[in-house]
Amino acid sequence: MKKLIQKNNFTNLKSFLFQLLELIISFAIVITLHLTSVISSSVTIVFLVAFIFIWSARYGLLPFLVSISIFQLLLLTLFKQVQNIGGLSLNTVSIFTIVVGLIIGVVGEMLNKKIRDLQNDKKRLELENQKLLSAIGDMRVVISYIKIWYK
């Protein structure tokens, strides 16, 4: 049991690190495009907000917290010269991103939990199916012995 818990913790850590790597690479690509003047500041912020929403829905609350922290750091450093985005102030965009991302993150967390529960149920049912198939095999053997004995 202890090995199973340690294995699950390692799997969860490995999964989180891959999620974090995916987030950092995506943010780095968008920031690189911004720094090379391929896309404007407003478009960059829209992409970053979209990535935050995607990570919130896909992975849940912990990746949301990491992505929103990185996003806020980027807003404070790279985009402090941007006054507004589509008529909205940077503070409004920041608050909107936090609130909506949090809601999406909670929904994503609930869906991820439901998926994990269904995967556990599937494993349990597969084990039960194997036991039943084994029992059927045992019963066939017993029936064949009974047929031979009553001949």
Side-chain angles (χ1 to χ4, degrees):
M1 183 68 165
K2 189 175 181 180
K3 287 183 180 182
L4 181 63
I5 291 171
Q6 289 174 347
K7 183 180 178 185
N8 283 340
N9 286 338
F10 177 72
T11 304
N12 291 339
L13 177 64
K14 190 169 113 177
S15 173
F16 175 71
L17 290 176
F18 279 121
Q19 294 167 8
L20 186 61
L21 182 64
E22 184 181 344
L23 172 78
I24 290 171
I25 290 171
S26 300
F27 273 28
I29 290 170
V30 172
I31 295 301
T32 303
L33 290 174
H34 169 71
L35 293 175
T36 57
S37 300
V38 174
I39 56 178
S40 68
S41 295
S42 298
V43 174
T44 302
I45 292 173
V46 168
F47 273 122
L48 294 177
V49 169
F51 283 142
I52 290 171
F53 291 163
I54 290 169
W55 267 270
S56 298
R58 188 171 176 191
Y59 298 124
L61 288 175
L62 188 57
F64 163 72
L65 292 174
V66 171
S67 64
I68 199 69
S69 299
I70 294 171
F71 176 71
Q72 292 300 325
L73 286 172
L74 290 172
L75 283 181
L76 292 172
T77 56
L78 288 178
F79 302 108
K80 58 185 171 189
Q81 76 278 5
V82 177
Q83 297 300 319
N84 61 25
I85 301 164
L88 298 173
S89 72
L90 210 53
N91 290 336
T92 305
V93 171
S94 178
I95 291 170
F96 171 78
T97 305
I98 291 170
V99 171
V100 174
L102 186 62
I103 292 168
I104 292 172
V106 168
V107 170
E109 193 71 36
M110 290 177 358
L111 293 175
N112 287 336
K113 183 182 180 326
K114 182 70 173 174
I115 289 170
R116 285 190 303 271
D117 290 344
L118 289 173
Q119 288 172 337
N120 289 337
D121 288 346
K122 179 184 173 192
K123 287 178 186 175
R124 184 184 52 79
L125 290 173
E126 286 173 350
L127 288 173
E128 189 175 317
N129 185 35
Q130 288 175 354
K131 288 179 185 177
L132 290 173
L133 290 174
S134 175
I136 288 172
D138 293 345
M139 287 180 191
R140 284 184 180 157
V141 169
V142 169
I143 289 172
S144 67
Y145 283 138
I146 291 174
K147 284 182 180 178
I148 292 173
W149 192 48
Y150 278 113
K151 281 187 177 182

